[in-house]
Amino acid sequence: MNNVKILSIGFIGMLVLTTFVVSVDRAIAGADIETNGVSASTASQSTSVSTDHASNWQQVKNKVRRTLQLNVSSIAESPVPGLLQVMTERGLFYVSSDGRYFVQGRIFNLDADMRNETEAALTSTRLSGLEEFKGTFIEYKADKEKYVVNVFTDITCGYCRKLHEQMSDYNDLGITVRYLAFPRAGLDGQSYKDMVSVWCSENQQKAMNDAKGGAQVPAKSCNAKVAEQYAFGQSIGVNGTPNIILPDGSVIPWLSAS
């Protein structure tokens, strides 16, 4: 039996609208998330970190880089005493404060209705990271824009093509879609070269439409940000497409066939 899941306009539209309302409610409730991706209490602790702690953090960063070949872009106290949260080009991880243990996983707060603390940290990282790519998206703007979603896409991805076929429906709902490049095969495959060509096209929307329709992409070259967008996606945990970032920074991950 073919149980291939299909992205539907009703499903994505409902999630976008629902998540937007929920995010507003959370903001009004005064969620304790600061723009640096940690709680207000953690941020307060971070600002009072002693010189000794700062030196220790640098040692942890150096050890992660030396041992795992991962560059740490930021480091901070995690919600769990004794664990540091480290942001790398491969995502968010945790390291014991003595640099001995490396943890991959998610932290949930049992005293706050199972709040996903890892997701909270990633949410602000996604939003701040998106700001750095302003002007480099391929945008399909709604005439009566109500919401903006950012979508990591690959021109060879079947689900991405299905989503793209419904673009006019999203726009009619007031949803503007901004594409970021995420060539699933990495930076050495033909998909990467084709996506560079799309981003370098004089008419990016037409090039994207043609590519998503299976047409041959005329080769072009320019200083596109395809590699940088791909690296950003990896750093925030994108591992498939389409990966949709909603207005509050939460994510609708890619759907796999079953």
Side-chain angles (χ1 to χ4, degrees), residues 140-146 170-176:
Y140 290 79
K141 189 174 181 61
D143 290 335
K144 298 180 180 179
E145 182 180 281
K146 298 178 182 177
Y170 303 141
N171 289 163
D172 288 345
L173 285 174
I175 302 171
T176 289

Side-chain angles (χ1 to χ4, degrees), residues 50-104:
S50 67
T51 302
D52 288 343
H53 279 171
S55 175
N56 179 62
W57 287 8
Q58 187 60 49
Q59 291 178 22
V60 170
K61 291 174 66 174
N62 292 341
K63 188 170 185 179
V64 170
R65 185 186 308 113
R66 182 177 65 253
T67 306
L68 302 174
Q69 286 75 55
L70 291 175
N71 292 316
V72 177
S73 57
S74 66
I75 186 168
E77 297 280 3
S78 81
V80 179
L83 277 185
L84 300 173
Q85 60 182 34
V86 294
M87 181 63 70
T88 76
E89 74 270 26
R90 293 293 181 178
L92 178 64
F93 302 98
Y94 300 96
V95 180
S96 59
S97 57
D98 61 3
R100 185 176 181 181
Y101 297 102
F102 181 87
V103 181
Q104 179 180 11

Side-chain angles (χ1 to χ4, degrees), residues 138 140 153-158 160-161 164 179 190-191 193-199 201 203-218:
I138 295 181
Y140 290 79
T153 193
D154 184 336
I155 58 176
T156 65
C157 158
C160 300
R161 290 181 173 183
H164 194 75
Y179 279 139
Q190 185 60 42
S191 176
K193 297 176 183 177
D194 288 343
M195 294 189 82
V196 169
S197 297
V198 169
W199 255 259
S201 297
N203 187 331
Q204 292 179 319
Q205 285 194 2
K206 181 180 185 304
M208 181 66 78
N209 296 342
D210 291 345
K212 290 288 181 76
Q216 182 67 37
V217 180

Side-chain angles (χ1 to χ4, degrees), residues 186-254:
L187 303 183
D188 296 323
Q190 185 60 42
S191 176
Y192 167 71
K193 297 176 183 177
D194 288 343
M195 294 189 82
V196 169
S197 297
V198 169
W199 255 259
C200 292
S201 297
E202 184 175 342
N203 187 331
Q204 292 179 319
Q205 285 194 2
K206 181 180 185 304
M208 181 66 78
N209 296 342
D210 291 345
K212 290 288 181 76
Q216 182 67 37
V217 180
K220 292 183 180 296
S221 179
C222 68
N223 186 27
K225 297 293 184 182
V226 172
E228 290 84 351
Q229 291 178 3
Y230 175 71
F232 170 56
Q234 287 188 309
S235 73
I236 59 173
V238 176
N239 57 17
T241 55
N243 191 285
I244 306 167
I245 302 178
L246 299 177
D248 68 341
S250 60
V251 163
I252 302 175
W254 68 294

Side-chain angles (χ1 to χ4, degrees), residues 33-39 42-43 46 76 85 121 124-125:
I33 305 303
E34 294 291 331
T35 56
N36 63 359
V38 294
S39 68
T42 303
S46 298
Q85 60 182 34
S124 65
T125 300

